[in-house]
Amino acid sequence: MRTRTLALTSVVCGAALLTAALPAAADETDATAPRTAEAGEAAAPAAVTAADLLAGVRSCRRISQGRYRTDSGSAKATVPVCGTRDAVFWKADMDIDCDGRRSRACNRKTDPYFLPETAFTSSRGKPLDSAALPHVVVPGPSKVWDYRKSGLGGGSVVAVVYRGRVSYGVIGDTGPTRIIGEASYAMAKTLGIDPDPVSGGAGSGVTYIAFKNSRISPIESRATARSRGEQLARRFVGRP
């Protein structure tokens, strides 16, 4: 859990560039080349694209009681939380969450706002590893919006879309009650966004889609989040 403030430029200037590679999740394996279906076998369903998902969130039925700022220094609150029958979504920026388990990428030296815990924990009761697990941060419950009343919680599956890419993960942490638009170091990296917790992130153009009543276990399984996310995304866009 973090209370994010605007990063000081002096911190950026003094920070060394990260060279550590993203740690591989224990259950992740490299994708193999698709094989041709044998006679009598059903062909694998086509992957849901970023365009497919964005088509499903063109219009907003606002479910939040107000709007959120994207940063503590933002002049106005401009981001609503929107809802459909199966999902909740918002369009914002992406700040980098490096909280949780200490790693070469996420620690007090790389992130001056680093906290050694996350709102939700692993199957072993430990803080999540933001450098290894793609996850999204939701605002803490408030009068503006309470994620729990939307069928969401720790481990709920999410799809994040940015510049033609789609990445699946989970809700893994909570943040300030008035700010929205934050995801883990690992989530940023999978989307091609600079994951540096001080100088990285994306200023706009990120779409977050959280699927209702979709909690997976264990929360730290990237493979389960991806497979379940692909299944939910197909249903979301009306594809078998």
Side-chain angles (χ1 to χ4, degrees), residues 15-20 194 196 199:
L17 293 176
L18 295 176
T19 58
D194 181 357
D196 188 289
S199 61

Side-chain angles (χ1 to χ4, degrees), residues 17-18 94 96 162 185 188-189 191-197 199-202:
L17 293 176
L18 295 176
M94 182 182 287
I96 307 302
Y162 181 71
Y185 181 106
K189 195 162 187 177
L191 290 165
I193 295 172
D194 181 357
D196 188 289
S199 61

Side-chain angles (χ1 to χ4, degrees), residues 26-27 101 118 120-129 133 215-221:
D27 60 355
R101 180 181 174 184
T118 50
F120 307 108
T121 57
S122 72
S123 57
R124 297 183 178 182
K126 302 294 184 180
L128 300 179
D129 187 344
L133 180 66
R215 181 178 179 274
I216 64 164
S217 183
I219 190 175
E220 65 269 24
S221 175

